Amino acid sequence: SLSIEGATDLQRVDAGEFARGGAFKADGVVSAFRFLKHGFALTARAEAIQPQVEAVARNSFQIGFEQLTLTAQVDYMIRKAGVFTLRLALPDGYKVEGVSGNGIAQWNEKPAPRTLEVNLKERTLGSYRLAVTLVKTHKELPKTIDLTGATPVEVQKLTGFVSVTSEAGVAVRTTTFDGLTEIPAAVLGEGKPSGGGSVLAYK
């Protein structure tokens, strides 16, 4: 963004008049001035426009006898200015199995706090979907499991959904939850897992 903070011994003119006065085009001209003598002063401020990012995050957990699988899908809406990098806060104890999305140049993990940093090939504006698959293994099924999802950071508005499913032979019920509202699983398009199992859903 560009703004004029001060103009001394200058007269503002429209962009069309500026273009008629020489071999310059009026395209992209923010302000134009005329001067009649030397010694004029013009002060302008230039600032980078910050992107406005909204995100809808869906963390889908699947509990099995041998491992806990987390699929995190984030639908971004990026306005005002594009972004080259997207970041997700990752839960501890999981291994990243895969990262997918259009135009990903590379991705890497940053420790303390654990963060996934996804670099894009070009500046991205508008809607963008990022999906991450994480896995945590266990030798035997724990009696209780703390479920912490992946959370997009550097966003101005975040809406989140959580679903929990289990494989056949594993029964799941909620003991405690905070900051969540239980919703029908059908709202998230979650059907009964094949072969049985449980399904829970939250917003």
Side-chain angles (χ1 to χ4, degrees), residues 36 47 68 96 102 104 117 119 136 145 157 169 176 191-192 196:
L36 300 177
E47 295 177 306
L68 173 60
V96 178
N102 291 329
I104 294 179
E117 191 172 274
N119 297 314
K136 179 193 287 188
I145 302 176
K157 182 179 179 182
T176 60
K192 201 72 173 175

Side-chain angles (χ1 to χ4, degrees), residues 101-116:
N102 291 329
I104 294 179
Q106 64 177 8
W107 60 268
N108 53 75
E109 292 184 49
K110 303 286 187 180
R114 190 181 181 202
T115 306
L116 177 70

Side-chain angles (χ1 to χ4, degrees), residues 30-186:
V30 176
S31 298
F33 300 86
R34 177 194 293 117
F35 67 91
L36 300 177
K37 60 181 180 179
H38 296 294
F40 65 85
L42 179 65
T43 305
R45 177 184 294 274
E47 295 177 306
I49 297 175
Q50 298 302 313
Q52 295 293 316
V53 183
E54 298 180 6
V56 177
R58 177 173 172 175
N59 285 281
S60 301
F61 296 90
Q62 184 179 41
I63 301 174
F65 285 102
E66 297 180 351
Q67 69 179 31
L68 173 60
T69 304
L70 167 58
T71 303
Q73 177 181 294
V74 183
D75 290 308
Y76 291 93
M77 178 53 67
I78 306 164
R79 297 185 174 91
K80 290 191 175 182
V83 299
F84 283 102
T85 304
L86 298 172
R87 295 179 177 85
L88 288 177
L90 299 181
D92 292 329
Y94 288 82
K95 177 184 177 183
V96 178
E97 291 280 289
V99 179
S100 62
N102 291 329
I104 294 179
Q106 64 177 8
W107 60 268
N108 53 75
E109 292 184 49
K110 303 286 187 180
R114 190 181 181 202
T115 306
L116 177 70
E117 191 172 274
V118 180
N119 297 314
L120 306 175
K121 293 179 180 178
E122 59 185 9
R123 185 186 297 273
T124 299
L125 189 65
S127 59
Y128 185 85
R129 174 171 289 180
L130 179 67
V132 182
T133 302
L134 305 99
V135 171
K136 179 193 287 188
T137 59
H138 41 245
K139 293 183 179 179
E140 60 181 48
L141 185 64
K143 291 184 178 181
T144 60
I145 302 176
D146 291 329
L147 301 178
T148 303
T151 306
V153 297
E154 299 171 349
V155 300
Q156 283 70 49
K157 182 179 179 182
L158 173 62
T159 303
F161 297 93
V162 178
S163 64
V164 183
T165 60
S166 63
E167 65 181 43
V170 177
V172 177
R173 66 181 179 85
T174 304
T175 53
T176 60
F177 59 86
D178 183 38
L180 297 172
T181 301
E182 191 164 3
I183 60 175

Side-chain angles (χ1 to χ4, degrees), residues 1-43:
S1 65
L2 185 64
S3 60
I4 304 301
E5 292 199 328
T8 303
D9 293 329
L10 289 168
Q11 179 184 2
R12 189 184 294 269
V13 298
D14 61 40
E17 186 175 349
F18 172 76
R20 288 193 299 270
F24 300 102
K25 294 182 179 180
D27 296 344
V29 173
V30 176
S31 298
F33 300 86
R34 177 194 293 117
F35 67 91
L36 300 177
K37 60 181 180 179
H38 296 294
F40 65 85
L42 179 65
T43 305

